[in-house]
Amino acid sequence: MPLPAWIAIGLLLAVALVVGLGALRLRAISHRVGSFECSARPAGDGQASWSLGIAHYGVGRIDWWRCWSLSLRPSRSWRRQDLVIVSRRPLDGDRDLFLVECSYEDVRFELTMSSGAYAGLASWLEAAPPGRRGVVV
């Protein structure tokens, strides 16, 4: 077999390996108990693109992973005591999808999530230990 054919086969195998590892990572994150689909973008910029992701409740924090990444670490982590829900509203008339504006350490961002995921987030924040303030639900 000529050398260009071997190079093409090697490239195809490398691409298949990367795609397979990405799919395994995404499956592992999304099947954890306490995980939910959640897209994110900076607040106030309606033209900013959404980053698809999966959030997961941890002990005292929420970790957020980008869907299209091979990183084993979350892209963002928000501690419960510093995360505040500023507002929420249905997204474009869809009753099951909410646009949730949040603030974390004076940085505002928006999340989209299902109504069930929002109910879980609001409950998780409300269930914080005594002394937690500033939660607007």
Side-chain angles (χ1 to χ4, degrees):
M1 204 182 300
L3 183 61
W6 283 109
I7 292 173
I9 290 170
L11 287 174
L12 285 174
L13 287 174
V15 168
L17 178 66
V18 168
V19 169
L21 288 174
L24 284 173
R25 173 191 167 275
L26 194 58
R27 180 175 166 79
I29 293 169
S30 66
H31 282 79
R32 291 179 181 172
V33 173
S35 294
F36 59 97
E37 292 179 24
C38 177
S39 297
R41 75 175 181 187
D45 185 4
Q47 300 301 320
S49 62
W50 289 100
S51 295
L52 299 175
I54 296 173
H56 178 261
Y57 295 107
V59 177
R61 72 176 191 279
I62 295 179
D63 295 325
W64 184 83
W65 285 269
R66 290 182 189 276
C67 281
W68 307 112
S69 172
L70 292 177
S71 175
L72 298 177
R73 294 182 179 211
S75 296
R76 297 181 184 131
S77 286
W78 302 298
R79 288 184 314 274
R80 178 188 277 181
Q81 67 262 22
D82 298 324
L83 182 63
V84 177
I85 296 174
V86 177
S87 68
R88 72 159 169 90
R89 62 184 163 89
L91 190 63
D92 296 331
D94 188 350
R95 293 192 169 268
D96 192 48
L97 196 60
F98 282 106
L99 175 65
V100 181
E101 185 176 345
C102 298
S103 176
Y104 182 76
E105 296 179 342
D106 297 327
V107 175
R108 290 197 175 212
F109 57 94
E110 296 174 332
L111 303 173
T112 59
M113 61 186 71
S114 68
S115 59
Y118 174 75
L121 175 65
S123 297
W124 183 76
L125 287 173
E126 288 175 0
R132 169 84 167 105
R133 295 186 191 150
V135 177
V136 177
V137 183

